[in-house]
Amino acid sequence: MSDPQGPIEPGFPTTRLRRLRYHPATRRLVRRTRLSAEQLILPLFVRPGRGLRREISSMPGNFQLSPDRLAEEVGQAAELGLGGVILFGIPEKKDATGSDALSSSGIIAQALEAAKAAAADLLVVTDLCFCEYTDHGQCGVPSDATGRTDVDNDATLPLLAEQAVVHARAGADMIAPSGMMDGMVGAIRRGLDEAGFTHLPIMSYSAKYASSFYGPFREAAESAPQWGDRRSYQMDPTAAAEQALREVELDLAEGADIVMVKPALAYLDIIRLVHDRWPGVPLAAYNVSGEFSMVKAAAARGWLDEKSVVLESLTAICRAGADIIITYWAKDVARWLA
Ligand code: PBG
């Protein structure tokens, strides 16, 4: 294809587009997408104990950490200039109601104390859901009301608000509800406001798909559902893409400060749609566990070059419109960019 602007000199084949690519410095100069450490959030898994650093077999380089070992990771995240960390709690004991999630001495409270002691200024986000805490592994309160065991949306809402206040009191800087309950953002906002945390932002997992790419995470958090699946509340990948816009619109109306699309790479079209519709709303994308493990596995076999594949993938997520990326590669990327 010829450059619509045409070659400057007739007969000379270098078009303007090629000229911009010729020198590495010019390529850098005209870059639009620039990754930076400060836009990256590192997920961390924490469980009770001391001195515990247990590697997650399907996610090499990621660990279940006790609070004291979490502190080391948080310190590194701060030193590398990451945007923040997001904490996932794995309680000592999972039970029918997920009681640890509502305890002021539960795993997330312990983790926040350790994280804040390690790096007071680092942004610490907490994932807010029940699936990590319940023995059934569902994201809310089970109910048989419809004759089919499912999650009771409205019964879950006050519990999410309560959990948010527990996180806020323990020192969370931002709350990230991931359970895809309708009305969760509004319920959490009211709960936080009533408890005096009007300043605390909510980053909602607004358009979260029922994805097979969460497989390794469920090993990491030991949160695979024990019955059924999550398809009644997480989004259907085959649904009209505009349904993601409806989900985001509802979250914004309820008070979400940052919205999220999850997973990232198979949903770049959704990221683009949300970005274009609300260019002024900060948009996060979650580069999920399965996206991580696929590349790790291929790289371990020498089939892919991890660094360049990761940088290219994260560039694509940004180019699609994400401002913030939650990624298990956050520390590596910070080092690569430095
Ligand atoms: C909990 C939650 C999940 C992830 C983040 N929060 C799993 C799920 O919905 O099953 C997945 C993250 C990942 O795969 O990296 N609701």
Side-chain angles (χ1 to χ4, degrees), residues 100-105 108-109 112 126-130 157-177 184-202:
D100 192 87
L102 303 179
S103 161
S104 58
S105 56
I108 283 294
L112 281 164
T126 53
D127 181 86
L128 188 83
C129 195
F130 278 96
L157 297 180
L159 300 174
L160 288 172
E162 204 180 321
Q163 194 185 358
V165 173
V166 169
H167 290 194
R169 292 206 170 113
D173 297 309
M174 180 148 71
I175 307 289
M184 68 180 182
V185 173
I188 291 166
R189 185 72 270 157
R190 278 190 298 281
L192 289 173
D193 290 353
E194 279 163 20
F197 296 100
T198 53
H199 62 285
L200 218 59
I202 296 174

Side-chain angles (χ1 to χ4, degrees), residues 43 45 59 86 88 127-132 137-139 176-180 205 208-218 220-221 223-225 230 233-234 260 262-263 286-292 326 328:
F45 300 95
M59 300 177 70
I86 181 165
F88 294 91
D127 181 86
L128 188 83
C129 195
F130 278 96
C131 60
E132 296 113 88
Q138 290 288 352
C139 301
S178 64
M180 282 297 279
Y205 289 65
K208 175 177 177 179
Y209 283 84
S211 171
S212 298
F213 287 99
Y214 307 152
F217 174 95
R218 292 178 185 175
S223 66
R230 305 206 208 289
Y233 43 99
Q234 297 183 349
M260 193 197 301
K262 178 184 170 196
Y286 200 138
N287 177 218
V288 301
S289 57
E291 298 173 323
F292 174 84
I326 303 175
Y328 300 96

Side-chain angles (χ1 to χ4, degrees), residues 33 35 39 259 261 264 268 271-272 275 281-286 314-326:
T33 304
L35 292 173
Q39 73 188 138
V259 297
V261 172
L268 294 175
I271 295 173
R272 165 58 59 192
H275 171 271
V281 173
L283 175 57
Y286 200 138
L314 299 192
T315 294
I317 295 167
C318 268
R319 196 181 56 235
D323 302 297
I324 301 160
I325 306 177
I326 303 175

